[in-house]
Amino acid sequence: MESPIDKIRNLGIMAHIDAGKTTVTERILYYTGRSHKMGEVDEGSATMDWMPQEQERGITITAAVTTCTWKGCQINIIDTPGHVDFTIEVERALRVLDGAIAVFCGVEGVEPQSEKVWRQADRYRLPRIAFVNKMDRVGADFFRAIRSMEEKLKARVVPIQLPWGGESDFQGVIDLIEMKGLLWQDELGTQIAEVEIPADKIQEAKKYRDRLIETLAETDDVLLDKYLNEVPLTVEEIKASLRKETLQGRLFPVLCGSALRNKGIQPLLDAIIDYLPSPVEVPVTRGINPITQAEEIRKPDPTEPLSALVFKVMTHLEGPTIFYTRIYSGTLSVGDTVYNPRSCKREKVLRVLQLHANKITQIDKAYPGAIIGIIGLKFTTTGDTLCDEAHPILLQSIEFPEPVISVAIEPRTQADQENLDEALRKLANEDPTFQVKKNEETGQTIISGMGELHLEILVDRLLREHKVKARVGKPQVAFKETIRKKVEVEGKFIKQTGGRDHYGHVWLRVEPNERGKGFKFETDLKEGTLPPIYIAAVEAGIRDTLGSGVLAGYPIVDVKVTLFGGSYHEEHSSELAFRIAAATAFNDACRKADPVLLEPMMRVEVNTPKAYTGEVIEDLNTRKGKIQGLETRETTEIIKALVPLSQMFGYTTSLRSLTQGRATFSMELSHYDEV
């Protein structure tokens, strides 16, 4: 079944862990008829959380794709994880989507990870709808959640609904656009009564409706004219203006409900159709022609040349590897030969799949706007473009954050070594934030990831899915090295090897770069001092040595190197000589420039009942944490701190015992700082 392109909506559901995004997705699947039984996260029966690790922990780990239909529109949904360790899953989902639903908890409002995913969506300029969930919970406050969005996200949010009742008395919503009440009347949430707004709520509803119209009138002259002359606006005019502002990313409509109690989901589905874009309403896709380096555009049209982005690779143990792909232009059929401009290889498409979590259906052909699975690719990985070889294009890839934590892993027996290497290769192919390295000195295999939970899940998958018997060491922090002083050094390489002379000579100025700015190479040479080919060799020689520092062999970061002098010999100079001269000089400079170790500093946010605030702060202080701020809510305190990652191992257990299991925390990388 192929929907017209203007009837497609590609959206992600994103939020902080435990805000209820998977429950929202499960209800969407139920009300659109995609599933006939509501899955529950707490029972481990959610359709979208299909991995055993997700069902046991009650969290989303991998972004799952599904498709459903509502009022003649096809909705492709990606349910993303809320835990910071799996931020890459959110990043790659947002890269290929056209819009998003941000789910917020009615009690907590904006939490650290919801702020992070909001910023990720800002980077991709995605139109968004906000859904305040859990309105039935004790302490839920719709207007406090709205205020936290305005303060923390600096977003222009406009409520288009108000809650009817609150906490255990939450019954439904008041629709501010059509000025009517919606009451859910049965347990399953399928019977909705449209009623008059009661007298005690009409004043508040009018106040917020006027605010909505006033906000829209600021950007729409026709509406402004009617508003000033007190001419009533039609529902269609309000919706059209709100759609335009939402698609421009200037306004974010806010709805509310309780997914667990089956209230508020159908109006959310209507809002997806009314306010989120189809693939023809988002900016055209831009890319670079790999041959001419000129910018090219692709329109979402089946007659255009093919352009598609592979945003995820999933290896199923029994089955083949599935490449999750978004098609931007052209069509893709079973049996097609496509071109990968990064690997410069042709690929054969053996099968095209429609995805529904871990269930797949084969289809013959896919069109622009589709999010599909492909089987049969051999030279393709996450972030690669697939295109028509006659019209090559390279789309913007996906940026992957650096891992911050490592553990050593070794097979229990020599016979397991091969299985371990193969399993690690498959997992690293799936997840670009998971890295595998061999330590040359000790011969150990080191695996690195985004956090303790990330590595715990990957090791669990090794043992369970890949049946690899392995031992895992203690977590190690991914340190880095930098320098604190400015030095000038000379580097020479003069040698005779196998009858051939080598000559390379450089002068380097090595100094600290701004924290977080990485490596910078500049030249300050008089014209004709060195040919360009040797200047490039000097930079390459320095880059070769950045991976291993002078203190403890950790990568060197945040240094600026200026090549300001040198000499060469017409006959005897070579690129190799200059590479070696530069590497030797750079290592020498780092030793003299007061080298120092850097460690990852984590931004930690602890949400604790007030009774335990003192103990939690004291514990953070013993972990060398710097308290950045305290925020008081009704019954809880939010403590913000910067703590070295090395001090945070096992913090989950400590926090549980300190607060009788009542506090929660989240952490993400803030920056690298001196140990």
Side-chain angles (χ1 to χ4, degrees):
M1 174 213 71
E2 187 50 45
S3 300
I5 193 158
D6 60 336
K7 296 284 186 198
I8 294 176
R9 302 286 183 273
N10 287 319
L11 61 105
I13 299 191
M14 57 185 207
H16 187 86
I17 193 165
D18 249 6
K21 8 172 232 321
T22 302
T23 308
V24 169
T25 313
E26 293 297 325
R27 299 308 183 259
I28 287 175
L29 294 179
Y30 180 76
Y31 295 124
T32 56
R34 191 74 174 84
S35 59
H36 302 296
K37 179 178 177 288
M38 290 188 195
E40 299 296 350
V41 176
D42 295 347
E43 295 167 10
S45 62
T47 311
M48 302 303 275
D49 285 352
W50 55 271
M51 288 169 72
Q53 293 84 354
E54 295 178 310
Q55 291 164 356
E56 287 163 9
R57 291 170 175 81
I59 60 168
T60 303
I61 291 166
T62 180
V65 181
T66 189
T67 299
C68 56
T69 50
W70 182 255
K71 295 190 175 173
C73 286
Q74 178 184 331
I75 305 175
N76 298 323
I77 300 173
I78 301 183
D79 174 29
T80 65
H83 196 287
V84 68
D85 282 14
F86 308 106
T87 184
I88 181 59
E89 293 286 335
V90 185
E91 187 73 34
R92 54 183 169 192
L94 296 181
R95 167 67 186 85
V96 296
L97 292 169
D98 302 328
I101 298 171
V103 179
F104 299 95
C105 171
V107 182
E108 307 295 346
V110 176
E111 296 172 271
Q113 186 61 10
S114 36
E115 197 173 334
K116 183 170 176 131
V117 293
W118 189 272
R119 301 274 170 256
Q120 283 174 295
D122 277 345
R123 219 171 43 244
Y124 291 114
R125 296 193 173 89
L126 288 190
R128 271 150 281 172
I129 295 172
F131 181 71
V132 180
N133 191 24
K134 304 196 178 186
M135 288 308 301
D136 59 313
R137 265 189 54 192
V138 177
D141 185 334
F142 180 70
F143 299 106
R144 187 176 64 219
I146 296 271
R147 282 196 301 278
S148 76
M149 288 180 218
E150 290 169 340
E151 287 163 14
K152 292 185 178 174
L153 305 177
K154 304 285 182 277
R156 261 192 111 183
V157 291
V158 285
I160 59 172
Q161 290 178 347
L162 297 180
W164 185 328
E167 301 187 350
S168 59
D169 187 35
F170 178 68
Q171 304 163 47
V173 299
I174 292 164
D175 183 331
L176 298 177
I177 295 175
E178 299 195 18
M179 283 304 269
K180 64 185 181 188
L182 299 173
L183 291 179
W184 275 261
Q185 297 188 302
D186 63 330
E187 282 288 301
L188 282 174
T190 53
Q191 294 169 25
I192 310 168
E194 292 190 8
V195 296
E196 293 283 313
I197 299 172
D200 62 332
K201 296 191 173 1
I202 195 82
Q203 281 310 109
E204 187 179 46
K206 280 183 173 162
K207 179 177 107 177
Y208 279 95
R209 188 178 202 263
D210 281 349
R211 269 193 207 173
L212 168 64
I213 292 169
E214 212 173 289
T215 308
L216 293 172
E218 286 172 18
T219 58
D220 192 319
D221 293 342
V222 179
L223 291 194
L224 182 63
D225 193 42
K226 285 192 169 187
Y227 177 70
L228 293 174
N229 293 312
E230 296 186 3
V231 177
L233 298 178
T234 65
V235 168
E236 284 68 33
E237 285 174 320
I238 297 173
K239 282 188 171 178
S241 177
L242 185 56
R243 178 178 181 81
K244 188 180 95 209
E245 292 303 299
T246 306
L247 295 189
Q248 293 288 331
R250 290 195 285 256
L251 285 183
F252 305 97
V254 187
L255 299 91
C256 61
S258 164
L260 193 63
R261 300 278 168 264
N262 311 321
K263 295 178 171 76
I265 300 299
Q266 294 93 332
L268 177 63
L269 280 161
D270 291 339
I272 290 169
I273 308 301
D274 290 340
Y275 308 119
L276 289 182
S278 71
V280 289
E281 290 168 304
V282 293
V284 290
T285 305
R286 295 176 185 277
I288 300 292
N289 183 315
I291 299 161
T292 64
Q293 297 301 309
E295 186 181 74
E296 295 199 1
I297 60 169
R298 292 283 185 272
K299 298 190 184 97
D301 184 335
T303 60
E304 288 254 319
L306 174 73
S307 66
L309 188 81
V310 174
F311 65 94
K312 181 175 165 132
V313 179
M314 197 79 192
T315 309
H316 291 271
L317 252 201
E318 279 77 43
T321 301
I322 298 178
F323 296 83
Y324 289 58
T325 307
R326 158 79 194 255
I327 298 181
Y328 288 98
S329 65
T331 57
L332 187 74
S333 305
V334 175
D336 280 358
T337 299
V338 294
Y339 180 66
N340 179 338
R342 182 198 58 82
S343 61
C344 302
K345 301 272 194 204
R346 294 190 187 101
E347 295 270 34
K348 183 91 166 164
V349 176
L350 298 182
R351 282 195 277 165
V352 179
L353 311 170
Q354 188 163 42
L355 305 161
H356 175 47
N358 62 333
K359 299 178 182 70
I360 54 178
T361 317
Q362 292 197 43
I363 53 176
D364 296 327
K365 201 169 193 176
Y367 296 88
I371 293 178
I372 53 161
I374 297 177
I375 289 177
L377 310 181
K378 290 190 173 70
F379 311 103
T380 297
T381 183
T382 304
D384 280 1
T385 304
L386 300 176
C387 62
D388 174 357
E389 193 172 0
H391 305 89
I393 189 169
L394 201 52
L395 303 177
Q396 180 200 344
S397 189
I398 303 165
E399 286 179 19
F400 307 120
E402 284 280 312
V404 293
I405 180 172
S406 307
V407 295
I409 188 164
E410 59 184 37
R412 284 193 184 275
T413 65
Q414 200 51 46
D416 284 320
Q417 181 70 54
E418 214 170 286
N419 292 348
L420 176 67
D421 290 346
E422 177 60 15
L424 289 174
R425 188 189 63 74
K426 283 183 175 171
L427 289 174
N429 194 26
E430 275 183 31
D431 183 349
T433 58
F434 172 60
Q435 291 181 3
V436 182
K437 285 191 185 125
K438 272 268 193 291
N439 183 325
E440 296 303 327
E441 288 166 23
T442 62
Q444 275 183 314
T445 302
I446 307 291
I447 57 174
S448 312
M450 301 305 295
E452 278 185 284
L453 181 64
H454 186 203
L455 289 182
E456 185 191 311
I457 299 282
L458 287 162
V459 169
D460 191 36
R461 287 186 61 194
L462 272 180
L463 307 176
R464 203 184 288 202
E465 285 175 33
H466 297 273
K467 307 282 189 287
V468 172
K469 295 182 179 68
R471 280 192 293 265
V472 180
K474 279 203 166 71
Q476 301 290 320
V477 174
F479 289 102
K480 293 191 176 171
E481 297 184 18
T482 191
I483 55 170
R484 289 188 279 203
K485 276 189 354 202
K486 179 171 164 180
V487 293
E488 292 185 353
V489 288
E490 182 181 25
K492 276 187 177 176
F493 182 70
I494 304 168
K495 211 167 192 176
Q496 189 174 33
T497 54
R500 177 159 181 211
D501 287 339
H502 287 281
Y503 180 87
H505 172 222
V506 293
W507 275 96
L508 302 178
R509 186 181 305 118
V510 180
E511 58 195 303
N513 200 1
E514 268 180 76
R515 186 74 75 246
K517 292 288 187 209
F519 169 69
K520 190 176 183 189
F521 178 76
E522 290 180 348
T523 54
D524 182 15
L525 294 168
K526 288 196 180 78
E527 205 172 316
T529 309
L530 291 175
I533 191 167
Y534 296 149
I535 295 172
V538 169
E539 184 178 353
I542 296 167
R543 283 189 186 277
D544 287 347
T545 58
L546 288 175
S548 176
V550 294
L551 278 179
Y554 292 111
I556 301 173
V557 293
D558 304 337
V559 290
K560 182 178 164 190
V561 179
T562 308
L563 171 63
F564 69 93
S567 60
Y568 71 104
H569 191 283
E570 285 288 351
E571 274 177 59
H572 303 315
S573 283
S574 64
E575 286 179 69
L576 177 68
F578 274 94
R579 277 180 98 125
I580 296 170
T584 314
F586 180 69
N587 277 334
D588 186 27
C590 287
R591 282 190 197 92
K592 292 175 179 169
D594 195 6
V596 64
L597 273 187
L598 296 177
E599 66 179 335
M601 298 295 289
M602 308 307 283
R603 197 181 288 115
V604 177
E605 201 159 296
V606 184
N607 189 333
T608 174
K610 288 181 177 173
Y612 305 106
T613 305
E615 288 97 321
V616 172
I617 289 177
E618 197 178 315
D619 181 58
L620 287 171
N621 285 333
T622 61
R623 293 171 186 273
K624 302 181 186 168
K626 295 184 187 131
I627 305 299
Q628 305 274 294
L630 272 176
E631 194 180 304
T632 305
R633 299 220 175 130
E634 284 170 15
T635 56
T636 59
E637 296 255 27
I638 290 170
I639 303 160
K640 297 179 182 179
L642 277 178
V643 192
L645 175 62
S646 56
Q647 302 292 322
M648 288 301 289
F649 294 138
Y651 185 60
T652 309
T653 317
S654 303
L655 187 65
R656 274 189 199 135
S657 59
L658 273 178
T659 63
Q660 295 177 357
R662 291 171 62 196
T664 57
F665 83 101
S666 65
M667 76 174 176
E668 63 174 329
L669 179 66
S670 168
H671 62 282
Y672 271 80
D673 213 341
E674 291 182 18
V675 172

